[in-house]
Every structure is written in C-alpha cells, then in structure tokens.
C-alpha cells in the first residue's frame, strides 16, 4: 500500500484560504480517482467534503502518493450529479 504525503505548510495555508486541509480531506469519503485533464504525470482524487466535491491532484513517487493541492470543483459536481440522476432512472 502506498503512503500518502503532503506539505504541512501547504495544508495549513489551504485550511486558512479554502477552509479545508489535507488531513480533513483524506478522512472524507473518496468518490473517484480520475486522470488529470492537462497534466499527464498527475491524477485527481475526488472527495466529498461538507456536501461538495473537492479535487485533489496528486503525483506518484515510487511507493508514495504526494498531494499537490485541494480545490472545490463545480465541474465535478455537474458530472457526478448527472450520474446520480441517471442511476435513479
């Protein structure tokens, strides 16, 4: 199993500016893992936190997953909301 790591200073800064830290986000439900649309070396973890979907880009370095940042994603909300509607049909 790979270890998840992140920059502690970045986590503190994200908590202050976006209201969520890496520690909080990884304890939330993981919804999906998808390819990064622009960066070939990165993938994105999709977490649900406080009723919203958050994207967490990461890179894999050997046996380590390094989290880069966290941001709320309207695009992911639209995609997964549409999928939930189709599941109900």
């Amino acid at each position: 199993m790979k270890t998840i790591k992140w920059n502690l200073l970045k986590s503190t800064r994200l908590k202050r500016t976006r209201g969520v830290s890496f520690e909080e986000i990884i304890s939330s439900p993981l919804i999906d893992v998808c390819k990064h649309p622009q960066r070939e070396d990165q993938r994105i973890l999709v977490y649900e936190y406080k009723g919203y979907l958050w994207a967490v880009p990461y890179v894999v370095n050997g046996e380590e997953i390094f989290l880069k940042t966290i941001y709320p994603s309207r695009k992911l909300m639209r995609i997964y909301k549409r999928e939930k509607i189709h599941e109900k049909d």
Side-chain angles (χ1 to χ4, degrees):
M1 186 171 179
K2 297 184 188 250
T3 335
I4 299 176
K5 295 189 176 187
W6 56 84
N7 182 308
L8 294 174
L9 180 61
K10 176 85 173 206
S11 186
T12 305
R13 188 177 310 136
L14 288 167
K15 179 65 177 174
R16 189 177 64 244
T17 60
R18 298 189 181 154
V20 62
S21 65
F22 287 123
E23 295 86 356
E24 293 170 323
I25 206 76
I26 64 168
S27 64
S28 301
L30 178 65
I31 305 300
D32 199 4
V33 179
C34 52
K35 293 192 317 186
H36 195 291
Q38 297 164 342
R39 298 180 185 255
E40 227 174 85
D41 62 327
Q42 291 185 13
R43 295 187 55 81
I44 297 177
L45 299 168
V46 180
Y47 284 97
E48 183 176 2
Y49 179 72
K50 293 187 176 179
Y52 208 79
L53 293 182
W54 294 75
V56 183
Y58 71 94
V59 292
V60 177
N61 297 324
E63 290 300 310
E64 168 184 296
I65 294 173
F66 187 79
L67 306 180
K68 304 293 270 180
T69 191
I70 307 168
Y71 59 91
S73 176
R74 289 184 301 229
K75 181 179 179 180
L76 291 172
M77 287 294 288
R78 279 193 311 270
I79 291 169
Y80 288 95
K81 186 175 181 181
R82 187 178 319 130
E83 286 180 8
K84 279 189 173 183
I85 291 170
H86 290 301
E87 286 177 5
K88 291 179 183 178
D89 293 342

